[in-house]
Amino acid sequence: MALCSTHWRLARPLRLAVGALPRAGRGQRCPRFPPPSPGLTPAPCARRYSSEREPRPPSKKVVVVGIPNPFTWARTKMYFFLIRAYFDQDFTFDEFAAGAKQAFVHVSNMLSQCNFVELKDLVSKEALEELEEKCSAMPTNRRQAIAADLEEIMYSTPGDVGIYYDNQGRKFVSIIMRYWYLTDVDLPDETPEGTKVFQVVFGDESNKDSKRLLTANYEFRREFTPGVEPDWTITRIQHFKLLE
């Protein structure tokens, strides 16, 4: 069984070690990840075969219907063009989004376990200090609901994109990614306020799985100053009605 050996460098000092991504299609680069940290096992991206086919579980599908804000859409496209033109000619949003989704899953799971040691090289110091205080005071069920599974992410989209300079002339790019994901953690209807319950049907109406659709914003930042390593770091994390 072949494994997909992939690496991706998300912002300094973000050295992410999570599951491997599916193989890139023709003409696309496979995102790069550094070697796994101790205790973390990359997931194989190869498919298993056997003489007896195992029955496939019924697939889940959520259709997101909405009209994007044309101003936001045009502004985002313009910034991606500027990043490629003036900062990184190899930048592609698809590759960035794939790595950012892996980071979202990994970081959210570490937060749900209060494993802040694993996050100190992935999340900015300021954001991590705030997260430690909030997570430590959260009820167990709400903390568990922070953890996202890759297969349960229903939709993701870029939020705001920014390019800015500091007083020392250093150049930065920030990209906010928004995620909608399902969780089966038992949460009271009134907590967190504003979440929605979905009935995901498998087979027939007599067999239903109730899940909540939760939302999260993760801000990724990278410094593009010459001589600085091309890494991304997470500078802000929001799990609405859970981690606020």
Side-chain angles (χ1 to χ4, degrees):
M1 179 177 67
L3 299 182
C4 181
S5 176
T6 57
H7 294 277
W8 193 74
R9 302 174 69 181
L10 244 181
R12 184 178 188 157
L14 183 61
R15 301 290 182 179
L16 186 61
V18 292
L21 293 172
R23 293 183 182 274
R26 180 175 298 178
Q28 296 179 339
R29 295 185 303 161
C30 200
R32 299 178 59 83
F33 287 88
S37 301
L40 292 178
T41 303
C45 64
R47 186 178 303 171
R48 294 181 177 179
Y49 294 90
S50 63
S51 57
E52 296 181 1
R53 291 183 176 272
E54 298 179 358
R56 293 183 179 179
S59 60
K60 294 175 294 182
K61 184 177 181 180
V62 173
V63 178
V64 179
V65 179
I67 301 176
N69 184 309
F71 174 78
T72 302
W73 180 87
R75 182 174 182 271
T76 300
K77 293 295 184 181
M78 179 189 70
Y79 273 109
F80 289 155
F81 169 78
L82 293 176
I83 293 172
R84 289 191 300 271
Y86 297 101
F87 296 95
D88 183 0
Q89 295 180 355
D90 295 327
F91 174 86
T92 65
F93 173 72
D94 289 343
E95 183 176 334
F96 167 83
K101 184 179 291 187
Q102 292 275 359
F104 165 60
V105 171
H106 179 68
V107 171
S108 66
N109 278 269
M110 293 300 100
L111 285 176
S112 71
Q113 301 170 25
C114 289
N115 189 347
F116 304 113
V117 175
E118 183 68 28
L119 296 177
K120 67 179 181 179
D121 291 333
L122 311 179
V123 182
S124 68
K125 180 180 178 181
E126 296 78 9
L128 192 58
E129 290 176 352
E130 182 180 355
L131 291 169
E132 285 191 55
E133 181 179 354
K134 291 181 178 180
C135 288
S136 300
M138 289 177 62
T140 301
N141 62 333
R142 291 182 63 182
R143 192 169 64 245
Q144 290 174 341
I146 293 176
D149 185 273
L150 190 62
E151 300 300 324
E152 300 290 359
I153 299 176
M154 298 293 102
Y155 186 66
S156 64
T157 186
D160 193 20
V161 181
I163 298 175
Y164 55 96
Y165 298 79
D166 66 5
N167 294 332
Q168 287 75 41
R170 296 182 300 174
K171 301 178 290 186
F172 297 90
V173 170
S174 65
I175 301 175
I176 295 178
M177 292 297 299
R178 296 175 178 172
Y179 300 97
W180 285 259
Y181 66 101
L182 293 174
T183 180
D184 56 6
V185 175
D186 184 18
L187 295 170
D189 290 340
E190 68 276 6
T191 306
E193 181 182 358
T195 60
K196 299 182 182 296
V197 178
F198 282 76
Q199 296 289 339
V200 182
V201 180
F202 297 91
D204 55 56
E205 292 290 335
S206 63
N207 184 17
K208 294 182 179 180
D209 183 15
S210 298
K211 296 192 177 185
R212 291 182 182 271
L213 182 66
L214 303 179
T215 60
N217 282 356
Y218 277 52
E219 181 182 58
F220 298 85
R221 186 179 68 177
R222 173 181 164 183
E223 183 177 352
F224 282 87
T225 306
V228 175
E229 293 188 25
D231 300 328
W232 293 88
T233 192
I234 299 173
T235 54
R236 183 156 55 97
I237 294 176
Q238 295 175 306
H239 282 258
F240 295 103
K241 306 305 180 181
L242 286 175
L243 192 59
E244 293 185 341

